Amino acid sequence: MKSRWNDADAAALAGDPLELRVYTSRLLGAEPSLVLHGGGNTSVKIRQKNLFGREEHLLFVKGSGWDLKTIEGKGFAPVRMETLLELATLERLADSDMVRVQRSAMTDPGAPTPSVEAILHALIPHRFVDHTHTDAVVTITNTPRGPERIRELFGERVLYVPYVMPGFVLARHVYEMTRGLDWSRYDAMVLLHHGLFTFSDDAKESYERTIRYVSMAEEQVPTRAAIDLAGAVETATPEPDRAELVAIATLRREVGRALGAPAIARSTRTHEARAFSERRDLAEVASRGPLTPDHILHTKRVPMFLPRELDATSIASSVEGFARDYRAYFDRHATGRGLTMLDPAPRWAIWPGHGTLSFGPTAVRAGVVDDITRHTRAAIDLAERMGGWVALPERDLFDMEYWELEQAKLGKSVAPVLQGKVALVTGAAGGIGKASVTALRAAGAAVVALDVSPSITTTFTGEGVLGLVCDVTDRAAIERAVSRTIQAFGGLDVVVPNAGIFPSSQPIAALEDELWDRTIAVNLTSQMALLRACAPFLLLGHEPAIVVVASKNVPAPGPGAAAYSASKAGLTQLARVAALELGPKGVRVNVLHPHAVMDTALWTPELLESRAKHYGMTIDEYKRNNLLKVEVRSKDVADLVVAMAGPLFGKTTGAQVPVDGGSDRII
Ligand code: ZN
């Protein structure tokens, strides 16, 4: 592993220890094989004067909820050293009490909650302390001779700590181990099955000690090929066939049932994942436990093993089997401890020949599982070549999964209304489509955004949204988009057929064939093809709904708009038939009739001005030319799309709802 330290970057921060701490924390965070998703933590000890002129000795330690990759100065919690060191002298302390006392010892009540490893950071007298959950070091300690092997490799300047539960128990263990210790003889500490600490009074030296020890460990693992492969971008992965897509959507539905909420299922079909899924010793090596205990909070202890051939029955029995085993595991360890059982749904599955699947209540959570299991697969592979993969005893893993700090979080948050749902929106690069994608995401859904414009691939960023270029009049392109949706998120619950064109005004007597054909093709025929491609997956969805974006022109057409009005009327009739056909199977189909939504690219300032002038109105009067005298914006329509996709319209199908500020022609 190479040092990412840059003298010029660091020189600019040299006067400010906290800024230097931010800098080297981010260097660690940039390396996924060192820390993943909020793992690891860093600190710096600073003496500074308070408002009363008294000097305080503070530990600035990573706050929970911050990621080393993106941490800022305000992501570090300033905690009084005196309190932290005094806490270490207590023989016993509940972690929830530890957190409470640490919070009360902060000099800034607005700072985040200090890391649970804060006391440990305080015990190490050096100014800078860097803690990572490095793959290479942990992989070596997860082998049969792991503890001896790592000792032989790292030598005398490292302290070796057997695995104990993180939090107070670990801090107390290290306190006992290091009383009276001459810390100058050490520059690192290995926590078996957990990670690495390095330290120094100098930021660069502490950081580079991490890099040096990790590099030594990396040289020991038989080949870097597996780790390299784990991070490689795959190119030639075959497209899944229809049966495979249906199996994934069925799996997602069953996992959602066990979870008690819709789940996101992300399939990983890379060469590496497929090779892993074909291991002969799979059930044996993959059922021993996670790479580091904290991963259990994301991945659960073991994956779900699927048979090669999947059908509805084998899928249901696999998920039920996993849930049954999980309940038995809970019962083995929970007796008399007053614990609340977590959901018994798997977080990842191995499907022989097809790769792996990651599950989560949100796309972000499923993505975290995917990242962690990719590293786990590589580590298992390497450890097996070093004599065998040894994970922690089940009891230690259970204690981590049912840590009181984790139990305390249960039931504290309310999920957004569409959390875990998967939506697909067409015509998503602008106007109502774009606003709908934004509103659906804000409501918790994972969204696939289709548009014919290439800009769609960059319109939205972040996890849980996928922008795909798709000409909706190309049926093969629609099939591909649906396939990509199932691969990325596991299924489909909400479809918003919105793509449409508004052609120039032509009276019937002069209507051009090309204009008529094109309007019907985009506004009507493509939507039929979309519904046909989506219907089989909607039937496997969670409280599925179709929200069709039609037009006020359906109930109140205008002269010169024959093609547009007829296409949208056809679309409305298509939706009514869909409501009749799909209603008995649980799929709701409702229609929106927006009008005069003028905050879209279609309405240029020039067009607005000329239309307003045409009617003898100001622009503002023209925008509010309805009974309620309100302006109808894209967001207003999008909010109604979300409502119709969710439980508010849970008992409504076949409805047509205007969103037009009120029209005397319709009322
Ligand atoms: Zn740790």
Side-chain angles (χ1 to χ4, degrees):
M1 181 169 288
K2 286 205 176 65
S3 168
R4 292 170 180 256
W5 178 273
N6 178 300
D7 281 330
D9 289 349
L13 314 167
D16 187 336
L18 184 58
E19 282 304 307
L20 261 181
R21 180 65 282 177
V22 169
Y23 172 65
T24 54
S25 301
R26 286 182 171 209
L27 298 184
L28 295 171
E31 208 73 65
S33 67
L34 289 179
V35 286
L36 273 179
H37 300 295
N41 39 64
T42 56
S43 67
V44 58
K45 299 175 185 78
I46 298 176
R47 287 181 190 277
Q48 62 185 33
K49 287 218 166 94
N50 65 16
L51 282 176
F52 311 104
R54 282 192 290 276
E55 190 180 77
E56 290 178 315
H57 193 198
L58 302 175
L59 179 81
F60 284 78
V61 63
K62 195 198 91 161
S64 69
W66 285 82
D67 198 302
L68 289 183
K69 196 170 165 181
T70 50
I71 197 158
E72 298 166 28
K74 62 174 191 262
F76 287 88
V79 197
R80 291 192 182 86
M81 279 290 289
E82 199 188 348
T83 308
L84 291 171
L85 293 175
E86 198 174 355
L87 280 173
T89 66
L90 296 175
E91 290 215 355
R92 231 177 293 280
L93 179 65
D95 284 320
S96 49
D97 289 332
M98 174 184 81
V99 169
R100 186 170 48 77
V101 175
Q102 283 177 359
R103 274 202 67 82
S104 68
M106 300 198 308
T107 55
D108 176 0
T113 297
S115 157
V116 291
E117 276 149 353
I119 297 176
L120 193 45
H121 282 256
L123 287 172
I124 300 170
H126 299 76
R127 197 154 190 227
F128 290 89
V129 178
D130 295 39
H131 170 47
T132 55
H133 297 159
T134 148
D135 283 0
V137 175
V138 175
T139 299
I140 294 175
T141 72
N142 285 357
T143 60
R145 281 190 61 251
E148 296 81 36
R149 216 189 279 249
I150 203 81
R151 219 177 268 268
E152 288 159 20
L153 180 66
F154 285 175
E156 295 298 309
R157 290 195 61 80
V158 176
L159 282 161
Y160 300 91
V161 183
Y163 179 80
V164 289
M165 181 76 183
F168 182 75
V169 175
L170 172 61
R172 175 70 195 176
H173 189 91
V174 172
Y175 170 75
E176 290 286 357
M177 244 184 96
T178 60
R179 280 164 91 166
L181 185 84
D182 176 6
W183 279 93
S184 68
R185 291 176 47 214
Y186 299 94
D187 49 32
M189 180 162 72
V190 168
L191 310 179
L192 299 176
H193 300 289
H194 176 161
L196 175 73
F197 273 80
T198 59
F199 31 83
S200 166
D201 287 336
D202 178 70
K204 180 183 181 185
E205 191 172 59
S206 181
Y207 165 71
E208 291 198 332
R209 280 176 176 163
T210 294
I211 302 302
R212 186 159 57 84
Y213 282 111
V214 170
S215 301
M216 286 162 77
E218 283 181 343
E219 276 168 31
Q220 279 295 301
V221 290
T223 169
R224 283 199 36 98
I227 283 178
D228 290 343
L229 193 61
V233 178
E234 293 285 336
T235 46
T237 301
E239 276 296 308
D241 60 22
R242 175 65 164 228
E244 201 170 341
L245 295 174
V246 169
I248 293 169
T250 310
L251 255 172
R252 170 184 180 252
R253 182 187 64 186
E254 295 302 321
V255 169
R257 280 181 182 160
L259 185 68
I264 298 295
R266 178 163 153 169
S267 40
T268 302
R269 310 167 66 254
T270 57
H271 172 73
E272 176 270 322
R274 281 179 287 129
F276 182 80
S277 76
E278 294 282 19
R279 284 184 78 109
R280 282 208 195 103
D281 57 356
L282 190 66
E284 205 259 318
V285 293
S287 59
R288 291 184 204 159
L291 180 55
T292 68
D294 58 319
H295 287 175
I296 202 169
L297 304 174
H298 300 286
T299 64
K300 287 208 149 94
R301 191 175 63 87
V302 290
M304 172 170 67
F305 297 97
L306 294 167
R308 189 175 295 269
E309 302 301 331
L310 285 184
D311 56 32
T313 313
S314 63
I315 289 169
S317 67
S318 294
V319 177
E320 277 163 24
F322 183 94
R324 201 168 42 242
D325 291 349
Y326 187 83
R327 286 191 195 95
Y329 153 79
F330 179 79
D331 291 341
R332 273 198 297 283
H333 302 289
T335 319
R337 295 170 69 180
L339 298 168
T340 306
M341 195 184 89
L342 305 172
D343 70 80
R347 290 302 187 272
W348 68 298
I350 304 171
W351 185 7
H354 298 263
T356 60
L357 291 120
S358 306
F359 308 106
T362 65
V364 171
R365 297 285 299 275
V368 169
V369 172
D370 193 47
D371 283 346
I372 289 175
T373 54
R374 187 171 64 244
H375 285 259
T376 307
R377 293 194 299 266
I380 288 176
D381 191 48
L382 291 173
E384 279 301 300
R385 293 187 223 177
M386 296 174 73
W389 166 258
V390 184
L392 282 169
E394 189 179 279
R395 176 75 182 198
D396 285 322
L397 294 169
F398 180 87
D399 286 347
M400 187 72 192
E401 190 175 358
Y402 283 86
W403 195 357
E404 57 161 317
L405 295 178
E406 293 299 321
Q407 287 274 300
K409 291 179 191 165
L410 295 177
K412 288 249 170 91
S413 57
V414 179
V417 66
L418 297 182
Q419 178 167 296
K421 295 253 210 167
V422 182
L424 184 149
V425 180
T426 67
I432 293 169
K434 185 177 174 185
S436 296
V437 173
T438 303
L440 287 162
R441 289 183 75 194
V447 187
V448 176
L450 307 186
D451 204 284
V452 71
S453 163
S455 70
I456 192 67
T457 56
T458 52
T459 305
F460 305 99
T461 52
E463 290 266 7
V465 65
L466 179 64
L468 297 176
V469 179
C470 177
D471 176 353
V472 289
T473 62
D474 175 351
R475 293 176 192 185
I478 287 182
E479 297 285 346
R480 274 198 304 278
V482 171
S483 170
R484 293 282 301 278
T485 304
I486 308 303
Q487 290 178 64
F489 300 126
L492 193 51
D493 311 302
V494 177
V495 178
V496 184
N498 166 70
I501 51 172
F502 190 80
S504 58
S505 178
Q506 288 183 355
I508 292 170
L511 191 58
E512 292 162 10
D513 283 341
E514 199 277 330
L515 181 139
W516 174 265
D517 290 345
R518 174 97 190 120
T519 308
I520 298 294
V522 175
N523 292 4
L524 178 57
T525 311
S526 72
Q527 314 292 18
M528 181 281 297
L530 177 72
L531 295 189
R532 187 173 57 193
C534 293
F537 297 103
L538 285 170
L539 298 183
L540 296 167
H542 186 271
E543 295 170 5
I546 297 169
V547 183
V548 172
V549 180
S551 168
K552 167 254 183 190
N553 274 41
V554 175
Y564 183 77
S565 300
S567 70
K568 289 290 190 182
L571 176 61
T572 303
Q573 199 72 346
L574 175 71
R576 296 176 72 199
V577 174
L580 290 169
E581 289 181 4
L582 298 173
K585 294 167 184 167
V587 184
R588 297 178 290 109
V589 187
N590 292 296
V591 179
L592 277 175
H593 291 317
H595 180 56
V597 179
M598 296 179 193
D599 61 341
T600 68
L602 193 75
W603 288 88
T604 60
E606 298 76 44
L607 181 65
L608 259 178
E609 202 180 325
S610 81
R611 298 310 296 165
K613 211 169 171 183
H614 177 80
Y615 291 104
M617 297 176 190
T618 66
I619 289 179
D620 194 53
E621 282 167 350
Y622 181 60
K623 280 183 175 173
R624 297 164 189 270
N625 186 23
N626 52 53
L627 293 172
L628 294 172
K629 302 288 175 219
V630 291
E631 184 184 342
V632 182
R633 298 156 308 159
S634 303
K635 186 181 179 301
D636 302 320
V637 184
D639 288 345
L640 207 45
V641 167
V642 169
M644 286 183 146
L648 206 57
F649 278 71
K651 292 176 183 170
T652 301
T653 194
Q656 299 177 44
V657 177
V659 48
D660 57 4
S663 161
D664 52 5
R665 287 187 58 206
I666 298 170
I667 294 171

